[in-house]
Amino acid sequence: YDPASPAFRDIVSEKSLGNQHVDGRVDYGSEFPTSGPHSPTPAKPGFYDKPAAPEQLVHSLEHGNIVIYYDTPGEAALKQLHKWTEQFPGAWDGVIAVPHGGLGERIVLTAWQHRLTLPKLDARASFFIDAFRGRGPENCVR
């Protein structure tokens, strides 16, 4: 990951808010959290048509998963999201696509301590996935 590369422009890096396991809801102060206290149970990689608990998604980020938030990005973008979730099903390096109302065509990608918001799906999403997938602090694979 080279922050100076044009492929990685617009990636926001955030400080860690911790990684404790907690029960119940967490106020992350962000619609798209990239770290923090979380559920002891991670969300499984895959394509979701209903929202998932942020506390489970954050645990998945800690494992090294990529979480992609979508709303109505268009048919081609939905096909690509399905493809990535099928291509990367691993518990420690998977991709999760989860709906989030209000985004319209925008796509938000998150990894542990990193976020990328795109006006619509483009090649930078692939670079983000390749740069951060499998690189969470609790990852046992890489």
Side-chain angles (χ1 to χ4, degrees), residues 41-53 56-57 60 65-71 78 81-82 85 95-100:
T41 307
K44 293 181 179 172
F47 188 92
Y48 290 68
D49 57 11
K50 290 185 170 52
Q56 289 185 302
L57 295 172
S60 298
N65 287 216
I66 302 297
V67 175
I68 305 172
Y69 297 89
Y70 71 91
D71 185 17
L78 284 174
L81 295 179
H82 275 283
T85 60
V95 171
I96 299 168
V98 63
H100 187 89

Side-chain angles (χ1 to χ4, degrees), residues 84-102:
W84 282 326
T85 60
E86 292 166 6
Q87 184 179 0
F88 304 116
W92 300 97
D93 59 355
V95 171
I96 299 168
V98 63
H100 187 89

Side-chain angles (χ1 to χ4, degrees), residues 121-135:
L121 189 65
D122 66 36
R124 290 178 290 162
S126 293
F127 289 112
F128 186 94
I129 291 168
D130 289 345
F132 298 112
R133 188 178 63 82
R135 301 190 190 282

